[in-house]
Amino acid sequence: MKGVFVHKPPKPRYLATWDVSILLHYLSSLYPLDTLSLRMLTIKAVSLLSLSTAQRCQTLASFSLDSVKDSGTAMCLSASGVLKTSRPSQPLYTVNINNYKKLSICPCYTLRTYILATQSKRKSQNLFISFFHKKAVCAATIAGWIKEALISSGINTDIFKPHSVRGASSSAANLAGLSISEILKTADWKSEKTFAAYYKRDILPSFSDIVLNKM
């Protein structure tokens, strides 16, 4: 086994990640919200929440509608059940998201619209429900929705899987100057080493960056 390790040492899945502006540009095109089908509204809400919180699909699937606290300027979401990072006597994991000035990519505005659209149809108190049978969905379904958004935005999902949103958003936050402590708190990482080893990546240039930089 040691020989295998020396011959083929473990390495991270991604050496670089994609520019979040690519996905945001696509999501902003899904507007106004009242023109979207429930399917597309769901995909947009999940994708924006994934981008703005850097959460695992498991966590997104565990958010409860009963635990949503909306102040009008921000929203607080609490996970229910046991998560990958749950520990004994640990309080429920919560994330906070603020209103954003541009409504076409505001996660709070999109979530409020989604909650209102599913209010009379839902058969589960989980935040995200199937747009077919209106019951709770699992993490794999959440990942499938995010993958659909990535494909539609032009991101190569043969290389970048739905979980890559976690690294792309946290790397973008780090590049923008957000403190490591705030990144770790938001993404629910206990150690900076975890972020550095598995998620902090250089961001691949977009097509427009390459073209416009030729001036």
Side-chain angles (χ1 to χ4, degrees):
M1 293 302 294
K2 186 176 181 180
V4 172
F5 176 84
V6 172
H7 178 69
K8 193 175 182 180
K11 59 182 179 180
R13 178 188 288 270
Y14 308 116
L15 299 179
T17 192
W18 44 273
D19 189 340
V20 295
S21 67
I22 299 172
L23 180 56
L24 285 172
H25 179 74
Y26 167 68
L27 295 175
S28 69
S29 72
L30 303 177
Y31 191 79
L33 299 184
D34 58 8
T35 65
L36 302 180
S37 65
L38 182 57
R39 176 189 181 88
M40 297 312 299
L41 179 60
T42 302
I43 289 173
K44 177 168 182 171
V46 165
S47 300
L48 281 176
L49 189 59
S50 178
L51 274 173
S52 58
T53 64
Q55 290 305 306
R56 302 174 184 85
C57 291
Q58 181 201 21
T59 306
L60 298 179
S62 74
F63 284 136
S64 167
L65 185 63
D66 294 332
S67 67
V68 175
K69 302 294 187 294
D70 189 352
S71 68
T73 58
M75 298 180 77
C76 177
L77 310 175
S78 297
S80 59
V82 179
L83 303 177
K84 182 178 180 180
T85 56
S86 296
R87 298 291 183 272
S89 303
Q90 182 179 349
L92 290 177
Y93 181 69
T94 61
V95 296
N96 296 283
I97 48 175
N98 297 323
N99 286 353
Y100 186 64
K101 58 186 178 181
K102 191 174 182 180
L103 291 182
S104 62
I105 53 172
C106 176
C108 290
Y109 176 67
T110 306
L111 275 178
R112 292 185 187 109
T113 305
Y114 171 78
I115 291 171
L116 185 62
T118 58
Q119 192 171 25
S120 61
K121 306 173 182 178
R122 58 175 54 249
K123 299 177 182 178
S124 170
Q125 285 304 106
N126 277 42
L127 177 58
F128 292 112
I129 58 173
S130 166
F131 34 76
F132 292 120
H133 52 66
K134 310 302 186 295
K135 297 179 181 179
V137 295
C138 63
T141 300
I142 297 282
W145 292 341
I146 294 174
K147 181 179 180 180
E148 185 171 334
L150 294 177
I151 292 172
S152 297
S153 65
I155 294 169
N156 188 348
T157 54
D158 289 335
I159 299 174
F160 297 109
K161 306 305 178 184
H163 191 68
S164 69
V165 176
R166 191 161 156 81
S169 58
S170 56
S171 294
N174 179 253
L175 186 64
L178 189 66
S179 68
I180 292 296
S181 60
E182 188 62 29
I183 292 173
L184 298 182
K185 177 183 175 182
T186 301
D188 195 24
W189 289 314
K190 299 297 183 291
S191 167
E192 184 179 347
K193 291 181 180 179
T194 302
F195 172 52
Y198 300 104
Y199 297 98
K200 184 181 178 181
R201 296 290 178 264
D202 292 332
I203 297 174
L204 293 173
S206 66
F207 182 89
S208 61
D209 289 333
I210 295 172
V211 173
L212 295 177
N213 282 334
K214 294 301 182 182
M215 288 186 63

